[in-house]
Amino acid sequence: MSPQEHLALAERFIAALEAGDVEAVRDIYAPDARLWHNNDEIEQTVDQNLRVLAWLIRALPERRYRIVRREILADGFLQQHVLEGVLADGAAFAMPACVVVQARDGRIVRLDEYLDPAAGAPLAAQARRARIAAV
């Protein structure tokens, strides 16, 4: 893939995430893609990752990814961003993260995400409260 193709893939990926379009994200992932997060060190399949994404869309319905840095790599791209949104209680939410993405044939084949779990704690607490309230 050319640098322009890697850049277009990165832009398409973030647009799908911001739109909450789970099926568009599925189409961006290769069927056998693997997605890893430093906070749990678990390598997810596409279906596992999309379940988490669907939860995130419900938990943070208004979200945007503020791109801090994006570097095109020979086999993909590196991106630093801040996931920003508003929690159900009206509080602002911001979680810095970095992803290293490997791509082939216009699709993501591997994504390694690095984030600080402490930054995600308010979102996790909201999810726990919602589960308790639903019981």
Side-chain angles (χ1 to χ4, degrees):
M1 292 176 57
S2 71
Q4 293 81 9
E5 290 169 319
H6 287 305
L7 179 60
L9 177 64
E11 291 173 355
R12 200 167 74 245
F13 182 55
I14 292 302
L17 292 172
E18 287 183 332
D21 190 340
V22 175
E23 289 310 308
V25 174
R26 180 185 299 279
D27 289 341
I28 291 168
Y29 289 153
D32 60 346
R34 292 294 177 255
L35 307 111
W36 176 87
H37 306 95
N38 72 300
N39 59 314
D40 58 13
E41 296 189 24
I42 294 173
E43 193 175 84
Q44 295 178 324
T45 65
V46 170
D47 287 336
Q48 290 168 328
N49 182 263
L50 293 178
R51 279 193 295 276
V52 173
L53 177 58
W55 169 84
L56 177 66
I57 290 164
R58 289 189 307 275
L60 200 62
E62 295 180 38
R63 76 206 146 279
R64 71 180 280 276
Y65 289 79
R66 181 170 45 86
I67 308 304
V68 176
R69 176 181 172 202
R70 185 181 282 155
E71 299 286 334
I72 302 304
L73 306 173
D75 64 347
F77 61 92
L78 174 142
Q79 177 176 290
Q80 284 179 271
H81 60 255
V82 180
L83 171 59
E84 299 174 327
V86 178
L87 298 172
D89 64 4
F93 176 80
M95 182 173 64
C98 180
V99 293
V100 180
V101 174
Q102 292 177 335
R104 186 172 45 250
D105 300 324
R107 299 177 94 178
I108 293 173
V109 296
R110 182 165 184 91
L111 183 147
D112 294 312
E113 183 173 34
Y114 298 87
L115 52 88
D116 178 0
L123 188 59
Q126 172 183 286
R128 284 192 298 279
R129 286 191 301 274
R131 277 197 297 272
I132 292 168
V135 174

